[in-house]
């Protein structure tokens, strides 16, 4: 799996200069979980990074169980330092190593699955489906691929302009945009939804979209 563009220490500081409205990812998840109104929350955050999803979840709810899961020991160390909570657990492992059965009613994967090639992505989402309790929800926020070459070029130019406006140099922006379909592998919106359905989700819906980022959810 490809590594993120930033080191763990600089991730939270710099990610907002690259991803427009990235704080909205977490707000959208929290708002939807509030509406779903589970009696208690058993939550797994895949690719947890420094713990931004956990921060939002603990601020809004009192999860009975919250599992921070990341393949990076450095990211897990940062998350551990932020959450001295008896209900918090920490796992250092790949997404592909998830083999739980009906343990969680919320699973999140924020900017994670697009690093996986097609078959590994399918396996990861199938594992998520197995790990969810009936009625549980899976949220994924990822980069997506526009339907046309023209749409892709326009979106990348717009994304680049956003990064320049945030103070990134032309060289930094060029390097970041060059990662598209090389370091991560975006798929179309229809392919995202079809993949959720193919992995067993009877409900698969678009939640949020801006620039080249999309949020989707599936309910088991």
């Amino acid at each position: 799996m490809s590594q993120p563009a930033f080191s763990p220490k600089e991730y939270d500081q710099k990610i907002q200069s690259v991803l427009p409205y990235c704080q909205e990812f977490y707000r959208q998840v929290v708002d939807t979980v509030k509406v779903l109104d589970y009696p208690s929350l058993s939550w797994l955050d895949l690719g947890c990074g420094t713990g931004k999803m956990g921060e939002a979840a603990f601020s809004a709810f009192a999860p009975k169980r919250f599992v921070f899961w990341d393949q990076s020991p450095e990211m897990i160390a940062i998350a551990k330092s932020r959450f001295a909570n008896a209900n918090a657990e920490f796992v250092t492992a790949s997404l592909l190593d998830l083999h739980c059965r009906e343990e969680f009613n919320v699973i999140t994967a924020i900017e994670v699955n697009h690093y996986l090639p097609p078959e590994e992505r399918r396996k990861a989402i199938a594992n998520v489906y197995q790990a969810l309790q009936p009625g549980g929800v899976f949220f994924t926020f990822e980069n997506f691929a526009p339907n046309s070459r023209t749409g892709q070029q326009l979106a990348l130019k717009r994304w680049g302009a956003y990064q320049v406006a945030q103070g990134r140099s032309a060289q930094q922006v060029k390097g970041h945009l060059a990662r598209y379909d090389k370091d991560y592998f975006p798929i179309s919106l229809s392919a995202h939804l079809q993949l959720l359905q193919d992995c067993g989700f009877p409900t698969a819906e678009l939640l949020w979209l801006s620039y080249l980022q999309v949020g989707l959810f599936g309910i088991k």
Side-chain angles (χ1 to χ4, degrees), residues 1 7 14 19 39 65 114 129 145 154 156 193 198 218-219:
M1 185 189 302
S7 70
K14 293 191 174 181
L19 291 180
R65 181 187 184 199
H114 57 228
Y129 183 82
L154 178 60
L156 286 171
L193 293 168
D198 290 346
I219 298 178

Side-chain angles (χ1 to χ4, degrees), residues 17 156-157 159-179:
S17 68
L156 286 171
K157 286 180 181 179
W159 195 7
Y162 168 84
Q163 294 182 42
V164 170
Q166 301 304 308
R168 305 197 83 206
S169 69
Q171 184 176 1
Q172 287 176 314
V173 172
K174 182 179 179 180
H176 189 267
L177 297 183
R179 299 173 67 236

Side-chain angles (χ1 to χ4, degrees), residues 26-43 53-66 85 87 106 108 139:
Y26 308 100
R27 284 192 286 266
Q28 292 290 325
V29 170
V30 166
D31 183 64
T32 308
V33 173
K34 285 180 179 178
V35 172
L36 289 168
D37 194 26
Y38 296 113
S40 65
L41 288 175
S42 182
W43 193 315
M53 187 72 260
E55 178 182 44
F58 279 111
S59 295
F61 309 105
K64 182 179 179 181
R65 181 187 184 199
F66 195 101
N85 188 306
N87 296 336
V106 178
T108 44
F139 296 95

Side-chain angles (χ1 to χ4, degrees), residues 2-117:
S2 176
Q3 295 300 312
F6 303 124
S7 70
K9 288 185 178 180
E10 66 181 351
Y11 187 85
D12 285 345
Q13 178 183 0
K14 293 191 174 181
I15 195 65
Q16 294 185 62
S17 68
V18 172
L19 291 180
Y21 308 115
C22 61
Q23 296 300 319
E24 192 64 26
F25 302 172
Y26 308 100
R27 284 192 286 266
Q28 292 290 325
V29 170
V30 166
D31 183 64
T32 308
V33 173
K34 285 180 179 178
V35 172
L36 289 168
D37 194 26
Y38 296 113
S40 65
L41 288 175
S42 182
W43 193 315
L44 168 63
D45 187 30
L46 294 168
C48 67
T50 62
K52 293 292 289 182
M53 187 72 260
E55 178 182 44
F58 279 111
S59 295
F61 309 105
K64 182 179 179 181
R65 181 187 184 199
F66 195 101
V67 179
F68 296 85
W69 185 298
D70 203 291
Q71 71 171 10
S72 165
E74 293 82 7
M75 290 291 195
I76 287 293
I78 293 172
K80 278 185 177 180
S81 72
R82 297 182 63 198
F83 297 94
N85 188 306
N87 296 336
E89 303 171 28
F90 303 89
V91 177
T92 304
S94 165
L95 279 71
L96 302 176
D97 294 330
L98 176 64
H99 301 299
C100 306
R101 292 293 181 269
E102 298 188 356
E103 291 191 22
F104 305 95
N105 51 22
V106 178
I107 298 180
T108 44
I110 309 297
E111 296 288 307
V112 177
N113 285 330
H114 57 228
Y115 289 112
L116 299 172

Side-chain angles (χ1 to χ4, degrees), residues 117-134:
E119 286 309 310
E120 290 187 359
R121 188 186 313 217
R122 181 179 295 271
K123 179 181 177 182
I125 295 176
N127 288 347
V128 164
Y129 183 82
Q130 293 298 324
L132 277 173
Q133 299 168 5

